[in-house]
Amino acid sequence: EALGALTVLFVLGRFAGIVRRKVADPNVIRIYLATLGLGTAYGMAISVISVFLTARGYRETDIGTLAAWFAAGIMVTAIASGTLVERLGAKTVLVVALFTYATTVALFPFAPSYRAIAALRFFDGAASVLVWVASETILVARARREIKAYVTSVYGMSIAVGYGAGSLGAFLAAQVLPNERVFLVAGALSAMTGLLVLLRLDKSSD
């Protein structure tokens, strides 16, 4: 298992080097890092959410319907996402969305009722779609024409790798922390990605 993990890390490291050389834009790389961090936060939260809610006595149907609230947040916010990015700038929207997600996931274990949990999932979805739209806007704007498809495909890979890392992180964290703390770790990680974008992403990315 250790050899397999080292092999995966080696392959990812080599691939990261190839991407850095081909893209040659530090702001695009920063978007990838932020996406990787956010994907890891997603993976951690999703890995423990059903276990956490079951332990609190919620029914499977209650847990299942939370996906609808998440989807509703995406759908409602997606309608206005383009206008928000155009008026406020992609970087501003991305920073606000990352901190919003950090807040919603950190508040999750403190939600006193199903309604509160559903509201948090709604804002979770809203923040997520704003992250996606703002990030992709920046990537497409900054990428050279001949590598636009490549740049966006690596963005998708960054999310996927983050999900995998988050699932593993949640498993390891659950060995030493209660599930409530895992949500806090995910929130802190998302907040760190927000700081990365706020402090390191060039404003010209808008």
Side-chain angles (χ1 to χ4, degrees):
E1 292 181 1
L3 180 59
L6 288 173
T7 302
V8 170
L9 290 174
F10 175 77
V11 171
L12 289 175
R14 295 284 292 180
F15 181 72
I18 294 171
V19 170
R20 190 179 298 109
R21 288 192 296 273
K22 186 168 184 176
V23 172
D25 184 337
N27 287 289
V28 170
I29 301 301
R30 287 163 190 151
I31 291 293
Y32 290 157
L33 291 174
T35 303
L36 178 64
L38 181 65
T40 303
Y42 282 157
M44 293 187 74
I46 290 173
S47 295
V48 299
I49 188 170
S50 61
V51 176
F52 171 75
L53 292 175
T54 299
R56 290 184 62 172
Y58 288 99
R59 298 173 300 177
E60 292 181 359
T61 51
D62 293 330
I63 298 171
T65 55
L66 290 176
W69 287 102
F70 178 78
I74 292 175
M75 184 171 59
V76 170
T77 310
I79 297 171
S81 60
T83 301
L84 288 173
V85 168
E86 290 173 1
R87 292 186 177 181
L88 302 177
K91 176 180 176 178
T92 299
V93 171
L94 180 55
V95 169
V96 172
L98 287 168
F99 281 113
T100 299
Y101 177 77
T103 302
T104 60
V105 74
L107 288 175
F108 198 87
F110 305 104
S113 65
Y114 176 81
R115 289 184 178 181
I117 293 171
L120 288 174
R121 287 295 282 164
F122 178 90
F123 285 107
D124 181 351
S128 295
V129 73
L130 289 176
V131 168
W132 303 335
V133 172
S135 296
E136 291 168 21
T137 298
I138 293 170
L139 292 175
V140 171
R142 298 195 68 94
R144 302 189 307 276
R145 182 177 181 180
E146 65 271 19
I147 62 168
K148 285 186 184 294
Y150 178 82
V151 165
T152 53
S153 67
V154 175
Y155 170 73
M157 290 181 63
S158 299
I159 297 176
V161 172
Y163 268 107
S167 298
L168 177 60
F171 172 77
L172 296 175
Q175 308 305 308
V176 295
L177 296 173
N179 286 332
E180 291 87 343
R181 299 285 181 88
V182 177
F183 289 108
L184 298 179
V185 172
L189 183 56
S190 181
M192 290 172 61
T193 66
L195 284 174
L196 170 67
V197 173
L198 176 64
L199 299 177
R200 300 291 294 163
L201 188 68
D202 194 328
K203 184 65 175 177
S204 67
S205 296
D206 288 340

